[in-house]
């Protein structure tokens, strides 16, 4: 199994992000962005690279340095202390990578005082909704126009990490 490295995004990731987005299936693009992005716009790429006092973004890279997953958080928004969004390349799905990215984002957010997490999930994204129900049985879910607005309490850091892994917190 290939190993991945989790790290913060950096400005030099622009072309890697563009290739990552273009390589996602239409289905995966739609589940994450609620639309297909066959030719990623410069604005979308910039948004995924944006990091400031309110935004944080992480990527997972493979052993060649190519991006295979992206996760971002936004603090100070609306219905939760921190809102998150994650997308994993089709070939890497089902390996726990998204869960590790969520864990890392929420650990960082908790250190900054966040107590609640929010996310918008497409109603057809049953896999993620099942994961949320398993990890956050008390999560509040509101259906609005085909999406599910999820709000949950952030547990202790490390809540989502796979316990069987011998990897360090920043590798899978």
């Amino acid at each position: 199994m290939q190993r991945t490295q989790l790290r913060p995004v950096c400005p030099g990731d622009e072309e890697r992000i563009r290739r990552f987005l273009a390589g996602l299936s239409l289905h995966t693009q739609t589940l994450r962005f609620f639309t297909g992005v066959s030719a990623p716009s410069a604005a979308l790429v910039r948004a995924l690279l944006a990091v400031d006092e309110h935004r944080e973004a992480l990527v997972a890279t493979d052993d060649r340095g190519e991006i295979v997953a992206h996760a971002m958080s936004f603090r100070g928004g609306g219905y939760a202390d921190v809102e998150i969004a994650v997308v994993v390349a089709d070939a890497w799905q089902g390996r726990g990578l998204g869960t590790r990215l969520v864990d890392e984002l929420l650990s960082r957010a908790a250190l900054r005082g966040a107590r609640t997490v929010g996310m918008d999930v497409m109603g057809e994204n049953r896999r993620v909704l099942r994961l949320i129900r398993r990890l956050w049985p008390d999560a509040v879910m509101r259906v609005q126009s085909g999406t599910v607005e999820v709000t949950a309490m952030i547990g202790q850091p490390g809540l989502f990490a796979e316990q069987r892994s011998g990897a360090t917190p920043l590798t899978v």
Side-chain angles (χ1 to χ4, degrees), residues 27-138:
H27 180 71
T28 296
Q29 291 173 358
T30 303
L31 291 178
R32 166 56 181 91
F33 301 104
F34 297 20
T35 188
V37 288
S38 58
S41 69
L44 176 59
V45 172
R46 278 193 308 274
L48 295 180
L49 292 171
V51 176
D52 58 29
E53 65 275 4
H54 298 287
R55 298 175 234 277
E56 187 160 15
L58 302 172
V59 292
T61 58
D62 65 12
D63 54 6
R64 299 176 329 233
E66 289 299 312
I67 294 172
V68 297
H70 179 275
M72 59 193 307
S73 65
F74 179 75
R75 289 182 305 281
Y79 60 95
D81 295 335
V82 64
E83 295 174 33
I84 63 170
V86 178
V87 61
V88 177
D90 295 79
W92 288 84
Q93 292 176 12
R95 301 184 191 192
L97 190 52
T99 303
R100 288 196 174 276
L101 285 163
V102 168
D103 185 49
E104 183 65 22
L105 282 177
L106 294 185
S107 293
R108 291 169 180 236
L111 289 173
R112 291 186 180 94
R115 299 182 52 125
T116 59
V117 58
M119 61 201 92
D120 292 322
V121 180
M122 286 193 72
E124 69 183 67
N125 197 343
R126 301 286 182 214
R127 185 179 191 179
V128 168
L129 292 172
R130 279 192 306 272
L131 177 68
I132 290 167
R133 251 317 149 217
R134 184 170 53 84
L135 297 176
W136 287 299
D138 296 330

Side-chain angles (χ1 to χ4, degrees), residues 2-44:
Q2 285 186 306
R3 295 178 60 80
T4 57
Q5 180 73 34
L6 301 189
R7 64 170 175 78
V9 296
C10 60
D13 285 330
E14 184 173 338
E15 191 52 40
R16 282 184 287 272
I17 287 281
R18 192 177 314 286
R19 284 193 303 268
F20 167 68
L21 291 172
L24 297 174
S25 70
L26 179 59
H27 180 71
T28 296
Q29 291 173 358
T30 303
L31 291 178
R32 166 56 181 91
F33 301 104
F34 297 20
T35 188
V37 288
S38 58
S41 69
L44 176 59

